[in-house]
Amino acid sequence: MKKKYVSRLLAGCLTVTMLTPTGALASVPQPVVTQEASQVAGQENETENKEQAEEYAAEGAAEVQTDKTEAAENRTAADKSREQTEPQTAQTGEQAVSEEEPQVQVQPRAVVDVNQWIRDGNRWWYRHADGSYTTNGWEVINGAWYYFDGAGWMVTGWLKRPSGWYYLTGSGAMATGWIQLGSTWYYLNESGMMQADTWIGNNYVDGSGAWIPGKVKAQAGWIQSGNRWWYRHADGSYTTNGWEVINGAWYYFDGAGWMATGWVKLSGTWYYLTGSGAMATGWIQTGGTWYYMNTSGAMVTDTWIGNNYVDGSGAWIPGKVKAQAGWVQSGSRWWYRHADGSYTRNNWEMINGSWYYFDGAGWMVTGWLKLGNNWYYLNPGNGAMVTGWLQLGSTWYYMNGSGAMETDTWIGNSYVDANGVWDQSKTKAQAYWVLNGDRWMLVQEDGTYAKKCWKTVDGKEYYLDENGYMVTGWLKQGSTWYYLKPTAKNSAEKVGEKAYNYWVGTAGIGGYYIDKYGRMVAGKDYSLGSYVYTFDANGLCTNRENRYLQVTDANGRKYNVEKKTYLSDPQVGVDVTEDEFLAAAVYAESANQGLTGMTGVAMVMLNRMRTNKTSSAPYPSEAKNMIYQATQFEVARDGALTKSLNLIVSGKGGTAMENAKKAVANARAICDAYDNNKTDELSDEVKGILEELKVPEGHTMLEYLGFMTPKAFENANLDPEKTHAFTYKNTTFYSTWIKKS
C-alpha cells in the first residue's frame, strides 16, 4: 500500500504551464511556457485531477505514522552520508516555479548547521539547521512556498486545505496565476488558492475552478427599451428604488429599474432629473420658472440664494429684493434689521464682533442690565457689552468674559464686594510654602494649611495629603494614577508638580506614561509621535511599533499605507495620494456633515499645512504628518482613520466618500482662488458652499485652523469672539486657541 501511495504522489508532479495574463483572455489564454515546462510535458508523468489527489491524500493519511518512523530512520542514515546526498538549495525563476528536481551537490562533511534539501528515493524533505523539519504545514524557502505532509515529505500536485485547493508544481513550489493542466486552465490567486465560480478579469472559472472559454462577461451599460432606459451592471443586475452614480453623474431608478426624468419627490424632498436622467444641481429653468437645487440635488424652498429669493414651492420670485442687514435709528433709539427684515427681541445678538442686547420691542439696550441674577453693562455710546474692568465715576467693577459682573470674589489680588465694587482697602494674602522638617506644606491665603486637596500655585498643580504635606511620586485617586515629580529636571520644573505628557522611568518599553490629562496610561495602545506604544493593565509599556497603518484592499490583501507596499510582497505597492489620504481623514471626521461641512473640515486641514509654509506655527506641511501630529486628530488614534483608509483602498465608502474627495478638491480650489484673488471665478456650487458656512463678516475660511463639536467647544471655554468661531451643523470652526478671560 505504501508503494502505491508513493508512486501516486510522484505522479502528481504534473505538467504545469505558468501564465502571465495579458488582459486578452476572453477568447484563449496566452501562456508563457518555460523551457522546463516544455521538457516536463514530454515526460511520461500523467496529469491527475483534484479528485485523484484527494483520493491519494486519503490513502496516504493512514500511512503517515509509518512514513514518519521510516523518515526518521532514513534521515539519520542520510545525515551519516551527507557527502553523497547534499542537494543545492531549491531555486526559483521569475515565475517562482521550477519543474526540475533539486540537484545534489556534495558538501564537506564538516558543514552540519545549515538548512538543506534532502532527497530520499523519489521524495524530498527540508532539514532545518537544528535538524528539525516542517510537518503538516507551509514553509517559505528562498522566496517560494512549499507544503510538507504529516511525515515531512514535500507535496506536489493538487493539495486540498480547509481554505481551498492549491497546486504544487513538480519542484514543490506553490503555483500562482494561470496554470494549464492537460487542456484545462485554472487560476490560483496571490495566496495560491484556486478560484472558483468567479470572473478573473473577463474570464470565467466554474465551480470546479476550470476556465470556461465560451462564457463572455457582460458589459455594464445603458439599455434602451422603447422610450425608456435602464442601466445593466456587469453581472446583469440593475438598481431599483435608489440612486446610482454613473460616470460622475447621479441617476434615480424607479421600482422597476427604469431611469427617472423630470421631477421626483423622495421622502418629502424634490429632485429634478434632466432629459438625460442626470440629477440637476444649481439653478434650473422648467416651465418658465426658475428653481435652485443644492449640491445634494434637493430643491431649496423659502430661502435666499445669494440675493435671490425662492418661495415655499421652490420658485424664484424675481420682484423680491433682499434687504440689507444694518442698524436703524428711530429718534434716539436703535434697532438692528436683519436681511429678511426681522429683528431680535429679548435676547443677545453678536454684531460685527460685539454683543448687544435688545428688549422686548427690539430696541438696543444701554447702561446697566439685569438678567436673572447677573448684572451686565452696555456701553451707553454704542450699546456694546463691556467686559473686564469698568470705571463709572470713581467706582470700579469687573465684568467677566461673558459680560456678567463679578461679586464677592478676588480678581487677581483685587477684591470686589457683594455689590461688585472694588474694595481698594482689602489686600489679598498670598499663599506660600513652608518647610516642616524635610517636607513642604502650603499656607493658604486665610492662614490655614491646605489638606487633602489639589492646589494650583504659580500655574503648577500640587496635591496636599490629609496632614497637609506635599505629595511626590505616584498618587492614586479612585482608579486613576497621577505622578507628582519628586525631583526637578530643569529650572522650569518644580518638585511636587503634577506631570503631563511625561515618561516616568524609561521613555518607551519598560516605562510609564502620563497623558495630556495628567493620568497614567494603562491597558491600551497609545499613539505618540510616529509610534504606537502598548501599555499593560498596570501601566507598564510592553511594546513600541512604528505607526504604519495596515489596511485590507478589495482582494483581501494586507496593505501598508505609510510604506505604500503590500505586506506579502514588499516589491509591489499602490499609491495613496495626499488628497486621498486627506479625503480619508475628512470622511473619518465629518462623514455626516454633508459636502459643505466636509469642505470646511478639509479647509482646516489644508490651512494647517499652508500655515506652516508661511509662519512659525507648529503644523507639518505634509498630510500624513499633519494628521498624525500628537494630540491633534482623535481619528488617527481611535481607529476611525484606519477604517476610512480601508474604504479608500478598497474603492468603497459610497456617496459620503465621494463627497469627502470632492470636499478636498473644493478646499484646494478655494485656497487657490484666495491666493490668486480669483474668488469670483469659483463655481456657483463652491460659492454656495462658502455662503452656507457663514464665516463671520470680515473673515475668510483661510483663517480657520481648528474644529470640534459645539459641546466640546463650550467645554474648552474658548472665546468665540476672539477665535471668530462659527458653527455649521454639528461642527464649530475656530481660528485659534484663545480661552475666555
Side-chain angles (χ1 to χ4, degrees):
M1 193 66 181
K2 181 178 292 185
K3 291 181 180 178
K4 180 181 179 182
Y5 174 56
V6 171
S7 67
R8 289 180 174 177
L9 281 179
L10 291 173
C13 299
L14 306 178
T15 301
V16 180
T17 300
M18 300 303 297
L19 171 68
T20 304
T22 62
L25 292 173
S27 56
V28 179
Q30 302 297 313
V32 177
V33 183
T34 66
Q35 183 179 1
E36 300 162 355
S38 298
Q39 293 171 349
V40 174
Q43 297 176 5
E44 295 181 357
N45 293 334
E46 297 181 355
T47 300
E48 297 195 23
N49 60 26
K50 299 189 295 301
E51 288 77 11
Q52 291 174 311
E54 194 169 23
E55 174 191 345
Y56 302 155
E59 294 177 12
E63 304 177 36
V64 167
Q65 187 60 45
T66 302
D67 285 350
K68 192 170 183 179
T69 301
E70 288 187 6
E73 294 172 354
N74 292 337
R75 288 165 192 161
T76 300
D79 286 342
K80 294 179 180 179
S81 57
R82 287 174 54 194
E83 70 277 3
Q84 299 177 354
T85 61
E86 190 89 46
Q88 294 181 342
T89 303
Q91 302 292 319
T92 59
E94 286 186 359
Q95 300 296 325
V97 176
S98 174
E99 297 297 330
E100 297 180 354
E101 297 178 342
Q103 300 299 307
V104 176
Q105 179 178 335
V106 178
Q107 298 288 342
R109 183 183 294 270
V111 179
V112 297
D113 58 348
V114 294
N115 299 326
Q116 59 182 323
W117 285 99
I118 303 294
R119 182 174 183 175
D120 186 358
N122 291 319
R123 295 185 292 182
W124 290 87
W125 60 287
Y126 190 77
R127 184 175 64 197
H128 303 141
D130 60 1
S132 67
Y133 53 92
T134 299
T135 61
N136 283 325
W138 294 96
E139 184 173 354
V140 178
I141 303 172
N142 294 328
W145 284 96
Y146 298 82
Y147 190 85
F148 299 89
D149 65 17
W153 299 113
M154 179 189 79
V155 176
T156 60
W158 285 107
L159 169 70
K160 188 173 186 183
R161 302 297 301 147
S163 56
W165 283 96
Y166 300 80
Y167 191 79
L168 295 311
T169 66
S171 70
M174 181 188 77
T176 61
W178 288 100
I179 64 170
Q180 184 179 22
L181 303 179
S183 61
T184 304
W185 289 87
Y186 302 87
Y187 186 80
L188 298 310
N189 69 11
E190 292 181 342
S191 65
M193 187 168 67
M194 183 193 77
Q195 302 298 286
D197 192 23
T198 189
W199 291 92
I200 312 298
N202 291 322
N203 301 280
Y204 179 74
V205 289
D206 66 13
S208 71
W211 172 52
I212 308 300
K215 193 165 184 177
V216 180
K217 188 176 185 180
Q219 299 296 311
W222 287 101
I223 306 293
Q224 185 176 16
S225 180
N227 62 349
R228 295 186 294 180
W229 291 84
W230 62 286
Y231 190 81
R232 182 178 63 195
H233 304 142
D235 61 0
S237 66
Y238 53 91
T239 299
T240 60
N241 284 325
W243 294 95
E244 184 173 353
V245 177
I246 303 172
N247 296 327
W250 283 97
Y251 299 82
Y252 187 81
F253 299 90
D254 65 18
W258 298 112
M259 179 192 78
T261 60
W263 288 104
V264 175
K265 191 175 186 180
L266 301 171
S267 301
T269 300
W270 285 98
Y271 300 83
Y272 189 80
L273 296 312
T274 65
S276 69
M279 181 189 77
T281 60
W283 287 102
I284 65 167
Q285 185 181 31
T286 175
T289 303
W290 286 89
Y291 302 86
Y292 187 81
M293 324 303 287
N294 66 18
T295 54
S296 69
M299 183 187 74
V300 175
T301 63
D302 192 24
T303 190
W304 291 92
I305 312 298
N307 291 321
N308 300 286
Y309 179 76
V310 291
D311 65 13
S313 70
W316 171 51
I317 307 300
K320 193 166 183 175
V321 180
K322 187 176 185 180
Q324 298 298 310
W327 288 100
V328 180
Q329 185 176 16
S330 180
S332 61
R333 296 184 295 179
W334 290 85
W335 62 286
Y336 190 81
R337 182 178 62 196
H338 303 141
D340 60 0
S342 65
Y343 52 91
T344 300
R345 294 182 292 180
N346 283 326
N347 209 346
W348 293 96
E349 184 174 354
M350 178 177 280
I351 303 171
N352 297 328
S354 296
W355 285 100
Y356 299 83
Y357 192 84
F358 299 90
D359 64 19
W363 298 111
M364 179 188 76
V365 177
T366 61
W368 285 106
L369 169 69
K370 188 175 184 181
L371 297 174
N373 295 320
N374 292 319
W375 283 95
Y376 301 83
Y377 191 80
L378 294 311
N379 191 314
N382 58 23
M385 182 188 76
V386 176
T387 61
W389 284 103
L390 165 68
Q391 184 179 18
L392 297 177
S394 60
T395 303
W396 287 87
Y397 304 87
Y398 187 81
M399 323 304 286
N400 64 23
S402 65
M405 182 185 73
E406 295 284 359
T407 61
D408 192 23
T409 190
W410 290 93
I411 312 298
N413 292 323
S414 301
Y415 179 76
V416 289
D417 63 19
N419 296 315
V421 176
W422 175 32
D423 186 348
Q424 301 184 46
S425 67
K426 199 166 185 176
T427 303
K428 185 178 183 180
Q430 299 294 312
Y432 59 93
W433 293 98
V434 296
L435 190 64
N436 188 356
D438 60 349
R439 303 184 67 183
W440 289 98
M441 305 181 73
L442 181 66
V443 181
Q444 303 179 101
E445 291 86 346
D446 61 1
T448 62
Y449 290 106
K451 295 181 180 180
K452 206 173 181 180
C453 62
W454 289 97
K455 284 291 184 179
T456 300
V457 181
D458 297 330
K460 309 288 186 181
E461 293 180 76
Y462 303 85
Y463 190 80
L464 293 306
D465 66 17
E466 62 274 9
N467 297 312
Y469 291 110
M470 175 201 291
V471 176
T472 60
W474 290 105
L475 170 68
K476 187 177 184 181
Q477 291 187 323
S479 60
T480 303
W481 284 94
Y482 303 90
Y483 190 74
L484 295 310
K485 299 176 183 179
T487 58
K489 296 181 179 180
N490 52 59
S491 59
E493 293 188 357
K494 303 294 182 184
V495 174
E497 72 167 275
K498 184 179 179 182
Y500 293 91
N501 300 318
Y502 188 86
W503 282 101
V504 181
T506 303
I509 298 175
Y512 301 83
Y513 190 75
I514 310 299
D515 66 16
K516 64 179 180 180
Y517 303 107
R519 303 172 300 199
M520 182 187 76
V521 179
K524 63 180 179 181
D525 291 340
Y526 192 83
S527 296
L528 289 172
S530 302
Y531 297 97
V532 175
Y533 298 84
T534 300
F535 296 89
D536 66 17
N538 297 316
L540 182 68
C541 180
T542 59
N543 189 44
R544 187 188 83 164
E545 295 182 357
N546 286 324
R547 188 169 59 187
Y548 294 139
L549 291 179
Q550 296 179 3
V551 301
T552 305
D553 74 1
N555 298 315
R557 297 176 298 176
K558 292 293 184 180
Y559 178 72
N560 189 311
V561 175
E562 190 75 11
K563 292 181 177 178
K564 301 178 181 178
T565 60
Y566 285 106
L567 304 183
S568 59
D569 185 359
Q571 303 305 311
V572 180
V574 297
D575 191 19
V576 177
T577 67
E578 182 169 80
D579 279 9
E580 287 176 327
F581 191 90
L582 287 172
V586 169
Y587 180 93
E589 288 283 359
S590 56
N592 64 344
Q593 299 298 290
L595 179 58
T596 296
M598 287 184 175
T599 299
V601 170
M603 281 296 303
V604 169
M605 295 177 180
L606 286 185
N607 290 343
R608 291 193 172 196
M609 296 163 63
R610 289 160 52 86
T611 299
N612 190 59
K613 299 175 183 178
T614 58
S615 74
S616 59
Y619 297 118
S621 59
E622 200 272 334
K624 294 186 182 70
N625 294 334
M626 182 271 297
I627 296 297
Y628 291 148
Q629 191 176 20
T631 74
Q632 294 300 306
F633 292 91
E634 186 66 26
V635 296
R637 302 186 296 277
D638 65 8
L641 180 59
T642 301
K643 293 178 181 178
S644 59
L645 282 166
N646 267 308
L647 298 177
I648 287 285
V649 175
S650 64
K652 300 177 181 178
T655 303
M657 184 60 77
E658 292 303 313
N659 279 340
K661 295 177 181 178
K662 192 171 184 180
V664 174
N666 288 345
R668 290 203 180 276
I670 294 168
C671 290
D672 183 67
Y674 277 117
D675 286 345
N676 297 288
N677 197 27
K678 295 182 178 180
T679 54
D680 290 341
E681 297 180 11
L682 289 169
S683 68
D684 290 341
E685 181 182 55
V686 175
K687 289 179 181 177
I689 289 173
L690 286 174
E691 191 168 312
E692 283 187 69
L693 288 173
K694 296 185 181 348
V695 178
E697 188 175 348
H699 301 279
T700 72
M701 275 303 300
L702 290 184
E703 299 174 46
Y704 290 86
L705 299 175
F707 60 86
M708 60 178 72
T709 65
K711 185 64 176 177
F713 185 87
E714 181 182 346
N715 293 338
N717 198 36
L718 298 185
D719 191 327
E721 181 179 348
K722 294 181 180 178
T723 61
H724 316 302
F726 72 94
T727 298
Y728 177 82
K729 290 188 176 181
N730 196 40
T731 304
T732 296
F733 297 90
Y734 57 94
S735 61
T736 188
W737 190 269
I738 300 178
K739 288 186 175 289
K740 294 179 181 177
S741 57

